Amino acid sequence: MRNLLTRKRIHYIPLIDAGVSIEDKTAMDTGNKQGIFMKSLNNANQNYLAAVWPGKVHFVDYLHSNASSFWRSQLDRLYSQIPFSGVWLDMNEPSNF
């Protein structure tokens, strides 16, 4: 696919939201092991649960020392499945519908 896109000078730029879907078991396992998700105000042992475009999500605590490595691993995982030219960071602030 990458060769076809490169030959035709087409770039794929996925839209990435700050909310990490709780349905993505790989991301959830990685994030929980690293302890990088924001915590609930009522229970410091529970991840803050919100609802945005992909449905129920957790948000990465960007002040956590592993936040960058978490996003790097998730973007590497996506790139290995669908090579992209860049990313569009959308909704990069915690939000809750």
Side-chain angles (χ1 to χ4, degrees):
M1 180 173 153
R2 182 155 184 87
N3 289 337
L4 174 64
L5 294 178
T6 302
R7 280 195 322 265
K8 294 192 177 265
R9 300 173 126 199
I10 298 171
H11 297 273
Y12 175 63
I13 301 173
L15 189 86
I16 306 295
D17 287 347
V20 179
S21 173
I22 65 170
E23 300 297 322
D24 184 339
K25 298 303 178 195
T26 302
M28 286 294 103
D29 288 347
T30 302
N32 284 322
K33 284 178 188 170
Q34 293 180 347
I36 55 119
F37 294 120
M38 293 173 64
K39 301 300 181 193
S40 169
L41 289 175
N42 299 325
N43 183 347
N45 295 317
Q46 184 177 3
N47 294 335
Y48 175 72
L49 183 64
V52 291
W53 301 117
K56 293 181 180 177
V57 299
H58 294 311
F59 292 111
V60 173
D61 177 354
Y62 287 99
L63 298 177
H64 193 286
S65 61
N66 291 329
S68 294
S69 64
F70 170 81
W71 280 115
R72 172 70 188 249
S73 70
Q74 297 311 303
L75 291 171
D76 285 346
R77 184 166 66 107
L78 177 60
Y79 187 86
S80 72
Q81 297 170 16
I82 306 168
F84 52 84
S85 301
V87 294
W88 174 349
L89 296 176
D90 188 45
M91 298 278 298
N92 62 348
E93 71 282 353
S95 180
N96 191 357
F97 297 153

